[in-house]
Amino acid sequence: MNREDSMKAKRQTKPYVAVTPWLDPDAKPFIQIKGLSKQFDDFLAVANVTLDIYKGELFTILGGSGCGKSTLLRMLAGFETPSEGQIIIDGVDMAGIPAYDRPINMMFQSYAVFPHMTVEQNIGYGLKKDKLAKAEIAIRVKDMMELVQLSELAKRKPHQLSGGQRQRVALARALIKQPKVLLLDEPLAALDKKLREQTQFELMNLQYELGITFVVVTHDQEEAMTLSDRVAVMDAGKFVQTGTPTQVYESPRNRFVADFFGTINFFNATVISINTVTKTLRAELETTGTQLNANTDAEFSMGAEVTIAVRPEKIIVSQQLPEGDHLTITQGTVEDLAYYGNRSVYRVRSQSGRIIQVSAQNYHRAEALALEWDDLVYLSWDSSCNVVLAE
């Protein structure tokens, strides 16, 4: 049985069941972060953050460089001492508990596999340090190598492995001690794009198979969307928004989240009418005066300045004038385009001079581009795709 067949067989023996404990008011968090802060001299790296993570979650902390995500992970691991606040894991306060006594293991971005050891020696190193019996170590190493599909490479050394294989060695070594929590710091950053995409699914399957709580730190938005049960977007030491990838992507809380979590178009607009019953508003875009409708739970007053955000894949580009009262329609000229095979990206300069980015799926096989530079086009999108941002 090859690797793909093996993973498929595992999924068939344990069908996936969606679990959302964060929606259950009676569910008890497995990891509780309460008012956690970390001060380095005059720099506040983590600023009074509070977060609940539930048992068996694959939780991702997403943010740019310097936002505090790695510092937070190191505090969870016990490598940094909080300036303020609490970390509670499985009901136990971690204050004063050193890293080696915490029910946690950590996988670093560099993988840090031992170059002089074979695959099986690397994986079993932690058990050997704990002075387990040789027979038990052999059994657990064998089982773990089978789980991560490394059995045939047991006698190889790291320099004889690919990047993806070294990543699985590091993962197996972190998991073999059966931690309650596995922390992963940029776990896929060293892999090329195709291997990274493949490994994301393997990591998800492995986490579900073992039921261990994973906390992942990454700067990669696509990785966060693919891996996570939930994701927390972090900026300047604080959590800006926490939710499922769908919630954060489709309903960003503010302009920072909308801009950081994927690609998006922003339009400045003025509120011209409000319907409190249907929770909709009508707004007029600056410069062009184009009017559009949008759903919102937020409260706005007449004349308020708002930002309307629209994802590029929500916009339809065509050379024929579209019809429909539910559509927002504008016109422009193709200024730039890029062909990615499965999709094409267009940068269209609208009549206001604004650049609008469109991502169009290439449904039909064709060797010629459907649109060319300087083509006059219509852009349209459904009113449900308008996201109203007050911040």
Side-chain angles (χ1 to χ4, degrees):
M1 181 182 290
N2 63 29
R3 195 163 118 211
E4 290 185 3
D5 289 340
S6 176
M7 296 301 292
K8 184 177 180 182
K10 288 177 183 176
R11 290 194 294 271
Q12 288 172 342
T13 57
K14 187 177 180 181
Y16 176 77
V17 178
V19 180
T20 54
W22 53 89
L23 299 178
D24 181 358
D26 297 323
K28 185 178 180 181
F30 191 65
I31 301 173
Q32 294 173 284
I33 298 171
K34 298 182 177 182
L36 200 67
S37 296
K38 180 61 181 180
Q39 184 92 29
F40 293 102
D41 297 325
D42 59 348
F43 174 63
L44 187 60
V46 177
N48 190 31
V49 300
T50 295
L51 178 68
D52 289 337
I53 299 173
Y54 294 85
K55 187 175 179 63
E57 264 199 275
L58 204 166
F59 193 96
T60 299
I61 299 170
L62 172 69
S65 298
C67 73
K69 60 186 187 299
S70 291
T71 301
L72 177 58
L73 204 70
R74 290 177 62 82
M75 285 192 285
L76 280 169
F79 300 142
E80 296 284 357
T81 302
S83 303
E84 293 180 357
Q86 269 186 308
I87 297 172
I88 299 171
I89 299 175
D90 198 14
V92 179
D93 192 330
M94 293 291 108
I97 298 179
Y100 56 81
D101 275 341
R102 296 191 180 196
I104 287 175
N105 216 332
M106 187 166 179
M107 178 177 156
F108 297 95
Q109 180 179 345
S110 63
Y111 306 152
V113 293
F114 300 115
H116 63 287
M117 293 184 184
T118 65
V119 167
E120 60 184 356
Q121 288 171 338
N122 263 285
I123 293 172
Y125 177 78
L127 301 182
K128 185 178 179 181
K129 288 285 288 182
D130 290 344
K131 298 182 179 179
L132 268 66
K134 287 185 178 180
E136 184 178 351
I137 293 175
I139 291 171
R140 286 174 60 174
V141 169
K142 180 176 180 293
D143 289 344
M144 184 56 67
M145 285 194 299
E146 288 178 358
L147 188 63
V148 297
Q149 308 296 312
L150 288 172
S151 298
E152 296 179 1
L153 307 175
K155 302 300 180 183
R156 291 192 186 182
K157 291 187 176 179
H159 72 275
Q160 298 172 304
L161 304 175
S162 68
Q165 289 165 345
R166 286 195 295 272
Q167 188 257 9
R168 279 186 278 142
V169 172
L171 185 61
R173 188 178 60 186
L175 289 171
I176 198 166
K177 293 186 69 173
Q178 300 171 345
K180 291 182 178 180
V181 180
L182 180 64
L183 308 178
L184 301 100
D185 187 5
E186 302 278 4
L188 310 180
L191 306 181
D192 63 59
K193 179 176 172 56
K194 191 169 184 178
L195 183 57
R196 187 164 65 244
E197 291 174 350
Q198 173 188 324
T199 308
Q200 285 169 1
F201 288 102
E202 292 182 356
L203 192 61
M204 291 161 60
N205 286 326
L206 184 61
Q207 186 269 343
Y208 181 68
E209 189 74 23
L210 296 172
I212 293 174
T213 305
F214 279 22
V215 181
V216 179
V217 155
T218 184
H219 69 279
D220 189 307
Q221 299 94 328
E222 288 187 10
E223 188 172 298
M225 283 191 280
T226 303
L227 289 177
S228 314
D229 293 317
R230 287 189 302 153
V231 58
V233 181
M234 198 169 188
D235 180 45
K238 298 180 180 179
F239 294 132
V240 186
Q241 184 172 351
T242 301
T244 66
T246 305
Q247 288 171 336
V248 178
Y249 184 81
E250 298 290 359
S251 302
R253 182 168 296 168
N254 55 34
R255 187 168 181 140
F256 172 82
V257 176
D259 195 27
F260 187 80
F261 206 68
T263 305
I264 202 161
N265 298 291
F266 293 113
F267 303 92
N268 296 325
T270 303
V271 176
I272 58 175
S273 67
I274 302 166
N275 189 324
T276 56
V277 176
T278 60
K279 293 185 176 180
T280 59
L281 59 76
R282 191 164 182 82
E284 185 175 273
L285 301 187
E286 68 172 12
T287 308
T288 62
T290 300
Q291 295 186 2
L292 52 79
N293 297 317
N295 301 317
T296 180
D297 290 325
E299 295 182 2
F300 295 98
S301 58
M302 294 285 292
E305 299 296 320
V306 296
T307 299
I308 304 296
V310 185
R311 297 285 183 189
E313 72 276 8
K314 312 294 187 187
I315 302 174
I316 297 172
V317 58
S318 66
Q319 291 181 296
Q320 291 76 42
L321 177 64
E323 297 181 0
D325 295 336
H326 60 292
L327 296 178
T328 300
I329 302 172
T330 190
Q331 197 173 22
T333 304
V334 176
E335 187 156 296
D336 294 298
L337 61 86
Y339 175 75
Y340 291 96
N342 62 329
R343 64 189 175 95
S344 294
V345 171
Y346 302 96
R347 285 166 49 85
V348 177
R349 185 172 294 279
S350 70
Q351 294 169 321
S352 68
R354 179 186 303 278
I355 293 293
I356 302 173
Q357 185 159 312
V358 182
S359 178
Q361 198 71 22
N362 293 324
Y363 292 107
H364 304 289
R365 182 185 178 196
E367 293 186 3
L369 294 171
L371 296 171
E372 295 286 356
W373 285 268
D374 297 327
D375 279 352
L376 186 64
V377 295
Y378 292 96
L379 304 180
S380 62
W381 60 92
D382 192 275
S383 60
S384 64
C385 299
N386 291 317
V387 179
V388 182
L389 303 172
E391 300 178 47

